[in-house]
Amino acid sequence: MREPTLRSRALAVAIALLLVSACSSSRAAEEPTPPPPESSTTTTAPAPSYRTQTATAQVPELEVFADWPGDPSAAPPPPPPPAVEPAGVRPIPRPGFNSAGARKTASGWAFTNPTFYGNPLTMVVTENRGDWLRVMIPTRPNGQQGWVRASDVTLGEHEFHGTLTLSDFTLKVWNGEELIAQTQVVIGRDTSPTPVGRVYIGEKIPQRNAGGAYGPWILATNAYSERLDLFDGGLPVIAFHGTNQPQLIGSKASNGCVRVPNDVIDLLAQVLPPGTPIDIMA
């Protein structure tokens, strides 16, 4: 048989290449190459901040202004309205009413320091404007805020915070993201309910009789009962305190205060600083 010439060999190679190209194109049409994955940007949500700033009075009487007292051109937006404004409940403090060192003034309020129980007067700061600080205050209606001079206080910070869910009688307290206490509690009766909203622990008051009705500690808040004008001859302050009736834990049995098992209230009194916020939710 005659061997193929150089020209015929070249022609055979070209035909083979064309066949390979055609087959490849056919497979590509039948099995399209998947598109490259779309580029995506991963975003990380900012870590929640639990930091609370506190203001502790350094003057014998702390003046609190209801309205912005600084430069009118730099007036900040107003704060949220009070959590509740119950009809028929008289304000605290008010003229002619013994308010344990708090009094109403023409421009707002004034509070004695130390407090009636001898503790430093401490409030929670909600806005820092340099020379002026907006703070939560111990008044009724609950949830009011006012302005104090930064020069009248010293500032502090911490990460303690808590929640009280009334529907399941559960109190939880954290230090930052660390849960340090969780317990069932006693809350107010339907006729004298525990008020909802953000409150803060203003002072810690030890009890001489740890086995009494208030247990070893009373942690008084800045809030007041929204039904009672007086309680036991004094102000109807809402407080977290111990109890000598642990069998009532998990029920509605108080005049608005929150009764906590004695071992838990003892722990909280040891670790929580004044100015710890607690959100009370229905």
Side-chain angles (χ1 to χ4, degrees):
M1 181 181 292
R2 180 187 300 176
E3 293 184 1
T5 65
L6 180 63
R7 181 176 180 182
S8 64
R9 289 177 181 175
L11 181 60
V13 170
I15 292 172
L17 290 175
L18 286 173
L19 289 172
V20 170
S21 175
C23 290
S24 298
S25 298
S26 175
R27 283 195 300 268
E30 294 172 359
E31 303 174 7
T33 303
E38 296 182 3
S39 60
S40 60
T41 302
T42 301
T43 58
T44 303
S49 175
Y50 303 107
R51 190 162 296 277
T52 294
Q53 191 171 57
T54 60
T56 301
Q58 298 299 302
V59 292
E61 185 174 70
L62 185 65
E63 187 175 14
V64 181
F65 296 86
D67 299 317
W68 166 246
D71 181 356
S73 64
V84 288
E85 295 186 64
V89 176
R90 294 184 290 177
I92 298 175
R94 60 180 182 267
F97 183 68
N98 180 9
S99 298
R103 62 186 180 90
K104 191 73 178 70
T105 66
S107 56
W109 307 268
F111 300 89
T112 58
N113 177 53
T115 68
F116 178 81
Y117 290 100
N119 294 302
L121 176 66
T122 301
M123 300 174 176
V124 167
V125 177
T126 60
E127 189 168 352
N128 189 326
R129 289 268 172 165
D131 291 338
W132 295 97
L133 308 168
R134 182 143 57 187
V135 294
M136 298 173 66
I137 53 177
T139 58
R140 190 170 67 185
N142 296 327
Q144 294 182 100
Q145 299 185 33
W147 295 92
V148 299
R149 297 180 181 88
S151 58
D152 287 345
V153 302
T154 56
L155 295 177
E157 288 186 341
H158 65 79
E159 293 192 342
F160 292 93
H161 58 105
T163 61
L164 170 59
T165 306
L166 300 177
S167 60
D168 61 10
F169 308 95
T170 301
L171 172 66
K172 297 180 181 180
V173 181
W174 292 265
N175 182 6
E177 295 185 349
E178 178 189 1
L179 182 66
I180 61 173
Q182 178 174 339
T183 183
Q184 295 280 286
V185 297
V186 174
I187 63 173
R189 303 180 186 91
D190 290 337
T191 54
S192 54
T194 302
V196 298
R198 170 161 285 196
V199 304
Y200 68 86
I201 294 173
E203 56 184 325
K204 301 181 287 188
I205 308 165
Q207 300 299 290
R208 293 181 180 178
N209 179 14
Y214 300 112
W217 288 91
I218 292 176
L219 308 185
T221 77
N222 63 311
Y224 294 92
S225 168
E226 294 166 355
R227 299 288 178 87
L228 305 176
D229 209 38
L230 291 172
F231 176 72
D232 199 22
L235 297 178
V237 174
I238 297 298
F240 293 77
H241 60 72
T243 180
N244 60 357
Q245 295 180 296
Q247 71 275 12
L248 296 179
I249 294 294
S251 70
K252 298 179 179 181
S254 80
N255 290 295
C257 284
V258 181
R259 303 179 192 172
V260 182
N262 285 349
D263 59 335
V264 179
I265 201 68
D266 194 54
L267 168 67
L268 298 181
Q270 301 304 323
V271 301
L272 296 185
T276 295
I278 299 180
D279 291 313
I280 303 177
M281 304 170 290

